[in-house]
Amino acid sequence: MTTEAAATHTAGAVPAPTVKCLVWDLDDTVWNGTVLEGDAPQPFPEVLATLRALDERGILHAVASRGDHATATAHLQALGIEELFTVLEIGWGAKSDAVRHVAEAINIGIDTVAFIDNDAVERAEVAAAHPAVRVYAAEQAAGLPDLTAFQPPFVTDESRGRRHLYRGELSRKRAQETYTGLAKDFLATLGLVLTVRRATETDLERAHELTVRTHQLNTTGRTYDMSQLRELLASPAHQVLVASLEDRFGSYGTIGLALTELTGTDSVLKLLLLSCRVMSRGVGPALIGHLVRDALADGRRPVAEFVPTEVNRVMLVNLRFSGFDVIERTGDRVLLGFDPAAAPPAQDGAVRVVAAA
């Protein structure tokens, strides 16, 4: 599979999704030579250009290469390019296994992975094991940024820093795997800080991306295009909030969006969504608690809409545990309310909430 036309699953099928991660062989692909043969090979200039161009678009890089892990990693570090790669799968197993491990490590679909190698046999092995993976020859490296498969529909400041987000997440996973206490105690060690603020024009692309990509942690399943979000930002009857998260390992980026409509004496949560990456961090109750306290402080009753989908029940659970009770059912739509006479939710737990101007 060496042409862009081949980068679809089957003839007549819709094009494969944009590549999220490009997995590289090293010897004679990233650099000219073989490290284990005593060479000190330098990276091909066109490879460096492609690595940096795709990184700027938020496309991750990883390694699936044969060789000694410590030796290859040391050479990547000596060249100053190790930090460009999110996952390093270097050893003596099958390349197809390494590619699968990369997809699993960063939790993306195998159909969003591409693989590049100078060896036709290795490319064939990966293609046979993973037909959805787009496979390229090493000599195609310079032209990859020009292919549609490597051109995301939009690029945000956050996507430009995606590599740092994923490297931080892998560090968290390693820390959690070696932690011997309870899960809730591990969360307390992270120093989680959730920052909630009014969205601005510069947040619109990321907000749109969240509504399109986030399905499991979406209270209503609604999506909004850029023009709709821009209208809501300008509306005095609506509040559009974005939430970002960070901990001692770094930033998770913008991970939440809340859309509230002010009607009469109610503050109606029309949409609340969170990135699935933070599902286990206790962010849902923390953000809902903040929204409730903010509405009560404004003299309004907190109300929330919920529309069930096949995968979003956890959001209803979050609302119920945060003190919301069902007050109305209309078809699939559920309206929940928080009793204004009740005590507002305390800000406790592992997540500290900060309201930014």
Side-chain angles (χ1 to χ4, degrees):
M1 191 181 301
T2 57
T3 66
E4 188 168 17
T8 56
H9 297 292
T10 57
V14 296
T18 303
V19 170
K20 293 182 180 179
C21 181
L22 176 58
V23 183
W24 296 78
D25 170 54
L26 292 178
D27 293 335
D28 294 318
T29 300
V30 168
W31 49 57
N32 185 19
T34 304
V35 172
L36 280 183
E37 292 181 358
D39 298 335
Q42 294 299 301
F44 294 106
E46 62 270 24
V47 167
L48 291 179
T50 292
L51 283 167
R52 290 174 177 138
L54 299 186
D55 182 65
E56 278 288 308
R57 300 175 190 177
I59 295 173
L60 303 175
H61 296 293
V63 169
S65 186
R66 295 189 186 278
D68 178 72
H69 190 283
T71 302
T73 301
H75 192 59
L76 285 166
Q77 292 170 340
L79 294 173
I81 60 174
E82 186 271 338
E83 65 176 15
L84 288 173
F85 297 92
T86 303
V87 181
L88 302 179
E89 286 286 331
I90 304 169
W92 302 104
K95 293 281 184 75
S96 60
D97 289 341
V99 168
R100 175 173 54 82
H101 292 157
V102 167
E104 291 172 348
I106 56 181
N107 194 28
I108 60 174
I110 198 73
D111 62 340
T112 64
V113 175
F115 175 68
I116 183 167
D117 197 307
N118 68 297
D119 191 320
V121 174
E122 301 284 19
R123 297 197 301 272
E125 192 269 332
V126 169
H130 306 298
V133 171
R134 279 151 284 187
V135 178
Y136 300 93
E139 57 266 25
Q140 293 178 276
L144 294 185
D146 297 328
L147 301 183
T148 301
F150 295 90
Q151 296 177 13
F154 42 79
V155 176
T156 65
D157 287 342
E158 185 152 320
S159 61
R160 293 185 186 96
R162 184 163 289 142
R163 163 171 53 95
H164 301 289
L165 300 180
Y166 275 84
R167 284 172 67 96
E169 183 58 26
L170 290 173
S171 296
R172 290 182 194 99
K173 287 182 180 179
R174 287 191 290 269
Q176 188 165 10
E177 288 168 358
T178 58
Y179 188 79
T180 57
L182 299 176
K184 64 180 183 64
D185 295 332
F186 173 73
L187 287 183
T189 72
L190 292 176
L192 291 157
V193 177
L194 180 71
T195 301
V196 185
R197 60 178 176 81
R198 291 287 188 102
T200 65
E201 179 74 22
T202 58
D203 295 307
L204 289 183
E205 287 185 342
R206 175 56 178 162
H208 170 63
E209 182 183 33
L210 279 170
T211 68
V212 171
R213 295 180 60 179
T214 303
H215 304 289
Q216 188 170 1
L217 302 184
N218 184 325
T219 53
T220 61
R222 296 189 181 107
T223 61
Y224 295 86
D225 61 29
M226 294 284 286
S227 62
Q228 290 172 316
L229 288 169
R230 190 170 285 110
E231 289 178 8
L232 291 168
L233 279 186
S235 168
H238 293 86
Q239 292 180 345
V240 182
L241 302 176
V242 290
S244 58
L245 186 69
E246 63 180 30
D247 64 15
R248 63 186 174 93
F249 291 103
S251 174
Y252 294 72
T254 302
I255 50 80
L257 176 71
L259 169 60
T260 300
E261 183 178 14
L262 306 179
T263 60
T265 59
D266 289 344
S267 177
V268 184
L269 187 61
K270 307 288 286 187
L271 172 71
L272 175 66
L273 60 83
L274 295 169
S275 169
C276 293
R277 293 186 292 115
V278 299
M279 179 185 294
S280 63
R281 295 293 184 257
V283 172
L287 181 53
I288 293 171
H290 170 78
L291 296 172
V292 169
R293 291 189 298 273
D294 193 52
L296 293 174
D298 197 34
R300 295 180 178 275
R301 179 181 66 155
V303 176
E305 290 186 6
F306 179 79
V307 179
T309 67
E310 294 181 355
V311 294
N312 73 344
R313 180 171 173 78
V314 66
M315 295 303 278
L316 177 60
V317 172
N318 277 331
L319 288 167
R320 295 302 302 270
F321 272 99
S322 297
F324 283 81
D325 295 316
V326 176
I327 57 178
E328 180 184 309
R329 292 182 185 271
T330 307
D332 286 341
R333 176 178 172 271
V334 181
L335 195 65
L336 303 102
F338 185 95
D339 184 358
Q347 184 177 176
D348 54 14
V351 183
R352 180 167 65 92
V353 182
V354 175

